[in-house]
Amino acid sequence: HASYFFGREAMIAKLVAKVDERNFVAVVGPSGCGKSSLARAGLIAELGKGALPGSQHWETEILRPGADPLRSLAMALVTRLEPEKTSVEQIKEARKLADSLRNGEIDISKDVMPVVRQRKSQTLRFLLLIDQFEEVFDPRVDETSRQAFRTALLNVGQDDWLKIVLTVRADFYNRLLDDRQLGELVDKGLVNVLPMSEAERRAAIEKPAWATGRRFEEGLVNRILDAVETSPGDLPLLEFALTELWRRQTHDGVLTHAAYEESGEISGAIAYRATAVFSHLNDDQQRQAHRLFKRLVRLPQADEIVGQATRRRINLDDLDPAVQGLAQEILASERLLITDQDSATGKTTVELVHEALITNWQQLRDWLSEDPDGLRLQQSLSEAVQIWERYDQDPDVLYRGQRLAEALQWANGHGEEINTKERQFLDASQANQRKRGLRTAGAVVLAVAAMIALFAVGYWLRPNAADRVAIPMPA
């Protein structure tokens, strides 16, 4: 949608200049400020037009780290190393490459990038956009994978042929600075996404409508601008309000005051839409939606529930079939959820349309407040299942002890909220614990038997034979 992307011309120019200057660039800003749009519809589109010498001939790749950042990176490289293979074959190769990087068996800068560059000898530059880099710090990403991904980035970043651009939420910025080497690269290639001026917001509102032959009623744009503060977090609300306004345009393409009021204006548009969609679901669908929306939110460890809660992307096939249908056929169609494909795994993912839904829809806030400790436990269980599957159901990943007891206690009281994979994980954990218990019991019996045997041998080897007691032998 680059042709409808207005209002960020100054920031785009700043980002293009930084990419020209540095090979490692970090686009940093608060949630909802438009980092992804700036990088995708702004930077990449401008480079495609030749904003830098020869940039129209650059190759670009966009990836999100997801639960396995190494596999996402490997997939981006495999598609260039072996473009003739099918997508399924590429996914398998990406998994092998990711495992080799994770285990330190190959060096990406010495063993992989030279081959990629040779295969793409006609390509002037390769730009890798890692969108939503904060996913690297997701609890689902184990520390080994996180460090291997960090090492891979530092190594490939030494290749002048490659340019890396990250988009990072500002509240994760300190995590980058905690790493000296990564922090130095980020510091030198930093682009802060600043709030839009009133003139930029006006352009973002008016110009897309004009470009498609629509028009606003007199005074409506000013009214919208008055309702939108300079806080970057208001942009998602503005986006949703304009979308609702678009849905209610007149037959001759006029965006009206009446439609704006009907949709809940700026502050209420997203909540209005969510409430309307939810109210039209039947009772069974409402129960499913209740459970689904809670799964799509990650609560912080602190006591504050909503203020720091973030959206959570999950695989669609982690949901039971009926919930999958609800997510795809209704909630995604009504733009409350987004479905996408994880390029690294080929699986369909689902997530909330934006975190603004968490903070502005009271129904969801109430759901999150029902049992926050139980929700955190369920999220930990869901992430443990993903790790278990990633490591081919390794028994060492299963729950045991107190952790298993707490999970079982919660699951017994929330049977409807446990999906098939989570139930399989808990059943496997119980079976594994029973096996460990039997092995432990067996070991104890053997140890006791050995002690008895040693005592008996010692007794019969005593030097004073008179002290021995005669044991009658059976006839």
Side-chain angles (χ1 to χ4, degrees), residues 37-185:
S37 297
L38 178 63
R40 292 169 179 253
L43 171 67
I44 291 179
E46 285 300 301
L47 292 175
K49 297 175 186 176
L52 295 176
S55 63
Q56 68 271 27
H57 302 301
W58 292 11
E59 281 203 34
T60 60
E61 178 71 25
I62 302 173
L63 66 87
R64 282 181 57 176
D68 193 344
L70 274 177
R71 195 182 298 184
S72 297
L73 176 61
M75 190 65 188
L77 299 175
V78 165
T79 54
R80 280 155 179 79
L81 284 168
E82 305 189 61
E84 71 284 353
K85 291 195 172 183
T86 66
S87 58
V88 173
E89 291 171 334
Q90 288 176 342
I91 289 171
K92 291 179 180 178
E93 290 300 317
R95 181 174 185 176
K96 293 178 184 177
L97 176 56
D99 289 342
S100 296
L101 292 171
R102 197 179 346 262
N103 299 330
E105 297 170 355
I106 62 174
D107 185 319
I108 193 169
S109 61
K110 296 177 181 178
D111 304 322
V112 181
M113 288 309 297
V115 181
V116 174
R117 190 165 183 173
Q118 183 182 13
R119 295 278 177 91
K120 295 293 180 179
S121 58
Q122 302 302 315
T123 301
L124 295 179
R125 292 271 190 169
F126 178 29
L127 185 140
L128 179 64
L129 169 60
I130 306 177
D131 196 14
Q132 301 186 42
F133 186 81
E134 62 271 8
E135 290 182 346
V136 171
F137 305 110
D138 190 302
R140 292 175 297 170
V141 181
D142 62 86
E143 190 59 30
T144 300
S145 295
R146 185 179 294 115
Q147 289 301 321
F149 182 67
R150 170 254 185 204
T151 300
L153 280 189
L154 291 175
N155 287 341
V156 298
Q158 299 172 14
D159 192 330
D160 290 337
W161 179 67
L162 179 69
K163 285 185 177 288
I164 298 175
V165 178
L166 318 176
T167 69
V168 189
R169 262 177 41 188
D171 48 329
F172 284 86
Y173 183 58
N174 65 313
R175 299 289 295 271
L176 297 177
L177 299 184
D178 287 342
D179 186 304
R180 176 75 186 193
Q181 289 178 284
L182 198 56
E184 287 181 351
L185 290 174

Side-chain angles (χ1 to χ4, degrees), residues 4 30 41 52 76 119 145 177 179 216 229 245 289 311 313 342 361 399 402 421 442:
Y4 305 110
L52 295 176
R119 295 278 177 91
S145 295
L177 299 184
D179 186 304
F216 291 88
E229 300 178 0
L245 189 58
R311 59 179 175 170
R313 185 168 64 152
D342 188 325
W361 188 24
Y399 279 0
Q402 184 63 27
K421 291 183 179 180

Side-chain angles (χ1 to χ4, degrees), residues 245-440:
L245 189 58
W246 180 272
R247 290 162 64 101
R248 292 171 170 80
Q249 63 183 283
T250 65
H251 69 279
D252 55 347
V254 179
L255 308 174
T256 67
H257 287 274
Y260 177 61
E261 293 163 4
E262 181 186 333
S263 64
E265 304 183 12
I266 293 295
S267 60
I270 194 167
Y272 180 93
R273 187 68 189 156
T275 300
V277 171
F278 184 76
S279 65
H280 283 89
L281 300 177
N282 61 41
D283 290 344
D284 189 43
Q285 289 174 326
Q286 287 190 355
R287 286 191 292 271
Q288 293 171 353
H290 174 199
R291 297 193 295 268
L292 173 60
F293 275 108
K294 290 197 298 183
R295 275 187 179 274
L296 296 174
V297 177
R298 182 183 305 285
L299 292 184
Q301 293 303 311
D303 293 335
E304 184 181 6
I305 295 174
V306 175
Q308 298 175 2
T310 56
R311 59 179 175 170
R312 178 170 174 256
R313 185 168 64 152
I314 64 176
N315 292 327
L316 191 67
D317 65 7
D318 287 344
L319 305 173
D320 292 330
V323 184
Q324 290 183 29
L326 173 68
Q328 286 184 297
E329 297 165 17
I330 299 178
L331 301 177
S333 298
E334 295 291 347
R335 296 192 71 254
L336 295 180
L337 303 182
I338 298 173
T339 57
D340 199 359
Q341 187 177 54
D342 188 325
S343 60
T345 63
K347 292 186 176 182
T348 301
T349 61
V350 60
E351 61 187 319
L352 298 179
V353 65
H354 200 278
E355 287 168 1
L357 192 63
I358 303 172
T359 53
N360 288 272
W361 188 24
Q362 186 60 48
Q363 178 69 76
L364 180 53
R365 292 161 64 96
D366 292 342
W367 289 339
L368 298 177
S369 301
E370 290 171 348
D371 181 16
D373 291 336
L375 183 53
R376 291 188 182 95
L377 191 151
Q378 183 190 39
Q379 290 175 357
S380 296
L381 172 61
S382 175
E383 289 159 1
V385 171
Q386 292 181 7
I387 295 172
W388 184 53
E389 291 188 324
R390 188 188 312 159
Y391 289 99
D392 299 322
Q393 300 187 348
D394 185 343
D396 289 339
V397 179
L398 294 169
Y399 279 0
R400 53 180 176 267
Q402 184 63 27
R403 196 175 189 187
L404 175 59
E406 291 175 355
L408 288 172
Q409 182 180 7
W410 181 85
N412 289 335
H414 299 79
E416 290 186 348
E417 299 184 39
I418 298 292
N419 65 28
T420 303
K421 291 183 179 180
E422 290 163 352
R423 175 54 63 190
Q424 291 173 345
F425 177 84
L426 290 177
D427 289 345
S429 294
Q430 284 184 287
N432 186 58
Q433 179 151 293
R434 284 194 293 269
K435 288 180 182 178
R436 292 172 64 89
L438 289 174
R439 286 198 298 268
T440 301

Side-chain angles (χ1 to χ4, degrees), residues 194-215:
L194 305 176
M196 299 176 79
S197 66
E198 181 176 332
E200 289 174 328
R201 294 199 303 276
R202 181 181 292 277
I205 294 170
E206 291 179 336
K207 289 186 177 181
W210 294 346
T212 55
R214 272 68 173 182
R215 61 184 178 87

